[in-house]
């Protein structure tokens, strides 16, 4: 079916357009429909533009956002004994006696898990802040949280106040909550659909890189010593400052500028910058078509999104995906890697270096996933990743149970842990954020990320708080709980999740339509319009305008 967008001739006169001879003659001069004008390379394949601005935006955005999230997950691991000693000394100085072991365990669990509470608060702030500031400005403002948190945590030992460390972890959680919603939205909206998955994986890759650097700097030869552990938290300032001075030179999300701010001139310039080409008519046509579909829609609230029958299974899938992302047990390994290896019988002096290998494996797996996601798709990587995690969690349970029967069994436990991490980062580690952006159109996307972020951080908090007690009560069998969750997720994705690779938001909505038993109301209206035009009737709708411009019609 041929798509046609009729617009005032001057409306996009500032956009350099090029048309092939095959374009329909009735279209306004210089405007060619997206399906008629292809960007290709010899051999018939569509050209995938990785412009310099697109690469820089993704790297700078991820370095100051998802990198810090990953770093915060692992940075508390290496200095755990020194921080607990600091808590004990502070308690003894205040109360005159050492802290009780149960109280110390609870206090340490709060230190680890309060990061997730801060993340939930940050997630709840995203929709309100993003409406006024946009995506990139929201990332810039977010650096203020990271810098203030770093100063609090780095100065806690000098001040002799462990509450500063806990508050700093909470504020760092706010930074993570904002980052893990704003960054995927930003990357989703600036990338062409042909490379949307690969660019979205940058979020997961930098989470893994952050985890790796948290482990690397935590080595005893670097900052993992009793006298220098506060500097581990001070390092957070560096990525925040890099993003703070770099991101202002890059434009805002073009879809945000067009669909929410109705600034077509700025949107065209942003598209041209990110795509590295002057002719962005195809991208503008797609965005304007989406604008027409949503012309009567404002940004949806969470309650409206939950009540919308035509989005029911998208919301359910996002909730289950995010819950599996956190409850699958990977964060338990990130938070408590050292104690897990200790339980496995690994000598204490070798643990930091074996822990470092986990960060290297997950980074490598995430990069490989980013390279193959546009070839294999989202669905196979999710199903395969969670399925393999379930297998290796079961194997890990067996090796931990039998670790005293042979000297080589503890090392098999290490192999299982590395395999679990690689399985997670090969798909489940980054795809949930990509799917949340792909399932929903502009009006519903902020509310969708709020729901996804809430589930994400509540699940993160649950794992961080309960895992020490779960490990204490179930011992090595605690990982069977995570295996069960992975199996449940695998079954759900196999039967419910459609493939979203290289599909538009409208095509993804149509893939869910049969299960929802409802179509987008605007889609029905468009279908009626199409039928009327096919029968030779033309009834222009004066409401089909974008910010007061001439009507747009889709045939």
């Amino acid at each position: 079916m041929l798509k046609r967008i009729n617009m005032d001739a001057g409306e996009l006169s500032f956009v350099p357009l090029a048309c092939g001879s095959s374009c329909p003659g009735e279209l306004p001069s210089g405007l060619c429909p997206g399906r008629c004008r292809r960007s290709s390379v010899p051999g018939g394949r569509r050209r995938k533009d990785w412009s310099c601005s697109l690469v820089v935006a993704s790297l700078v955005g991820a370095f100051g956002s998802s990198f810090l999230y990953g770093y915060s997950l692992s940075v508390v691991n290496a200095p755990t004994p020194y921080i607990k000693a600091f808590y004990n000394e502070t308690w003894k100085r205040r109360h005159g006696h050492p802290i009780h072991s149960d109280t110390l365990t609870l206090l340490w669990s709060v230190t680890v898990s309060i990061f997730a509470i801060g993340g939930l608060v940050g997630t709840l702030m995203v929709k309100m802040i993003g409406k006024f500031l946009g995506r990139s400005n929201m990332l810039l403002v977010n650096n203020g949280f990271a810098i203030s948190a770093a100063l609090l945590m780095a100065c806690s030992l000098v001040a002799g106040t462990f509450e500063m460390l806990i508050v700093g972890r909470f504020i760092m959680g706010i930074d993570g909550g904002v980052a893990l919603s704003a960054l995927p939205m930003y990357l989703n909206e600036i990338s062409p659909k042909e490379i949307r998955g690969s660019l979205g994986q940058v979020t997961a890759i930098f989470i893994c890189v952050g985890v790796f650097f948290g482990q690397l700097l935590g080595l005893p030869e670097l900052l993992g010593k009793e006298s220098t552990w506060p500097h581990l938290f001070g390092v957070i300032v560096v990525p925040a400052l890099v993003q703070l001075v770099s991101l202002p030179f890059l434009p805002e999300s073009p879809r945000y500028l067009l669909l929410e701010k109705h600034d077509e001139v700025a949107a065209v310039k942003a598209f041209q910058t990110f795509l590295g080409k002057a002719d962005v008519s195809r991208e503008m046509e797609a965005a304007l078509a989406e604008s027409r579909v949503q012309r009567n829609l404002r940004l949806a609230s969470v309650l409206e999104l939950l009540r919308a029958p035509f989005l029911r299974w998208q919301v359910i899938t996002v909730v289950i995906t995010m819950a599996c992302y956190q409850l699958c047990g990977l964060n338990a390994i990130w938070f408590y890697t050292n104690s897990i290896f200790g339980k496995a019988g690994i000598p204490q002096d070798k643990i930091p270096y074996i822990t470092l290998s986990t960060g290297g494996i997950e980074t490598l797996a995430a990069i490989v996933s980013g390279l193959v996601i546009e070839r294999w798709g989202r669905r196979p990587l999710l199903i395969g990743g969670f399925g393999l995690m379930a297998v290796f969690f079961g194997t890990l349970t067996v090796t931990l149970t039998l670790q005293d029967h042979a000297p080589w069994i503890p090392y098999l436990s290490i192999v299982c842990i590395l395999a679990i991490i690689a399985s997670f980062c090969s798909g489940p580690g980054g795809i949930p954020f990509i799917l949340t952006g792909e399932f929903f159109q502009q009006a519903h996307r902020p509310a969708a990320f709020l729901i996804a972020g809430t589930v994400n951080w509540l699940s993160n908090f649950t794992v961080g708080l309960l895992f020490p007690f779960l490990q204490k009560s179930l011992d090595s069998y605690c990982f069977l709980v995570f295996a069960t969750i992975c199996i449940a997720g695998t079954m759900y994705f196999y039967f419910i999740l459609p493939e979203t690779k290289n599909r538009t938001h409208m095509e993804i909505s149509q893939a869910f339509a049969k299960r929802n038993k409802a179509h987008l109301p605007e889609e029905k209206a468009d279908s009626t319009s199409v039928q009327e035009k096919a029968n030779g009737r033309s009834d222009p709708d004066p409401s089909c305008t974008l910010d007061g411009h001439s009507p747009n019609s889709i045939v």
Side-chain angles (χ1 to χ4, degrees), residues 25 44 59 138 152 176 180 203 239 248 308 323 345 355 367 381 435 439 445 452 467 473 499 522 544:
L59 295 181
M138 182 162 45
L152 277 172
L180 290 191
T203 300
T355 300
I367 293 173
L381 291 177
L435 292 182
F439 283 172
R445 195 172 293 133
F467 180 74
S473 58
E499 181 54 67
E522 290 75 13
C544 297

Side-chain angles (χ1 to χ4, degrees), residues 49-61 186-187 190-192 195 199 246-247 249-252 269-277:
D49 289 323
W50 285 85
S51 70
C52 180
S53 297
L54 197 61
V55 172
V56 171
S58 60
L59 295 181
V60 169
Y186 185 55
L187 296 181
I190 69 175
S191 59
I195 59 171
L199 196 70
S246 303
L247 206 56
F249 294 99
L250 294 165
E252 180 56 82
K269 291 180 179 178
F271 269 129
Q272 290 172 334
T273 299
F274 285 126
L275 300 182
K277 59 183 182 180

Side-chain angles (χ1 to χ4, degrees), residues 171-493:
I171 297 175
M172 200 61 221
I174 296 177
D175 174 89
V178 173
L180 290 191
S181 293
L183 179 64
M185 273 196 287
Y186 185 55
L187 296 181
N188 180 277
E189 292 174 9
I190 69 175
S191 59
K193 65 185 178 68
E194 292 84 3
I195 59 171
R196 193 172 56 213
S198 296
L199 196 70
Q201 277 294 91
V202 172
T203 300
I205 291 171
F206 270 79
I207 289 176
C208 297
V209 173
V211 169
F212 177 76
F213 269 86
Q215 296 166 340
L216 178 64
L217 295 179
L219 291 175
E221 292 82 358
L222 297 176
L223 299 179
K225 298 189 289 287
E226 186 173 8
S227 59
T228 58
W229 67 260
H231 301 327
L232 282 169
F233 299 99
V235 169
I236 290 171
V237 170
V238 176
L241 290 177
V242 169
Q243 187 182 83
L244 199 59
V245 301
S246 303
L247 206 56
F249 294 99
L250 294 165
E252 180 56 82
S253 158
R255 287 182 172 273
Y256 169 79
L257 292 171
L258 181 64
L259 301 181
E260 296 185 35
K261 290 299 183 182
H262 309 297
D263 188 343
E264 295 181 29
V265 176
V268 169
K269 291 180 179 178
F271 269 129
Q272 290 172 334
T273 299
F274 285 126
L275 300 182
K277 59 183 182 180
D279 183 0
V280 295
S281 55
R282 182 169 67 92
E283 289 75 19
M284 285 295 293
E285 288 159 14
L288 287 167
E290 182 179 340
S291 173
R292 180 184 182 274
V293 170
Q294 302 184 81
R295 65 184 179 271
N296 295 321
L297 295 179
R298 55 181 174 79
L299 288 181
S301 68
V302 171
L303 191 59
E304 289 169 338
L305 187 62
L306 293 174
R307 288 177 174 176
F310 50 88
L311 294 172
R312 181 177 296 117
W313 279 97
Q314 288 94 313
V315 173
I316 292 173
T317 302
V318 163
V319 169
I320 291 177
T321 305
M322 279 297 178
C324 290
Y325 170 77
Q326 291 291 353
L327 298 178
C328 69
L330 217 285
N331 275 351
I333 291 178
W334 277 337
F335 284 144
Y336 303 104
T337 306
N338 285 10
S339 63
I340 291 172
F341 284 154
K343 293 283 186 181
I346 305 301
Q348 195 67 34
D349 59 334
K350 294 182 180 179
I351 286 179
Y353 306 97
I354 297 175
T355 300
L356 187 63
S357 67
T358 65
I361 288 291
E362 64 193 4
T363 302
L364 180 62
I367 293 173
V368 171
S369 176
L371 294 174
V372 303
I373 188 172
E374 296 300 349
R375 179 182 297 272
W376 292 2
R378 286 66 157 148
R379 188 171 177 271
L381 291 177
L382 267 183
I383 294 172
F386 279 120
L388 288 174
M389 287 182 72
V391 171
F392 290 119
F393 268 129
T395 308
L396 178 62
T397 302
V398 174
T399 60
L400 290 177
T401 304
L402 303 177
Q403 65 180 4
D404 296 329
H405 288 65
W408 52 268
I409 292 181
Y411 294 95
L412 188 57
S413 299
I414 297 175
V415 173
C416 289
I417 289 177
L418 295 178
I420 289 167
I421 292 172
S423 301
F424 176 82
C425 293
S426 65
I431 291 176
F433 301 101
I434 298 173
L435 292 182
T436 305
E438 291 182 329
F439 283 172
F440 302 93
Q441 300 191 60
Q442 196 78 17
H444 303 107
R445 195 172 293 133
F449 270 98
L450 196 155
I451 293 173
T454 300
V455 174
N456 175 33
W457 290 103
L458 285 177
S459 302
N460 185 304
F461 174 77
T462 302
V463 172
L465 185 64
L466 297 183
F467 180 74
F469 302 98
L470 189 67
Q471 186 183 27
K472 188 175 181 179
S473 58
L474 296 179
D475 198 27
S476 58
Y477 295 100
C478 65
F479 293 106
L480 292 179
V481 176
F482 301 129
T484 303
I485 293 172
C486 290
I487 292 172
T490 301
M491 298 297 293
Y492 180 87
F493 299 131

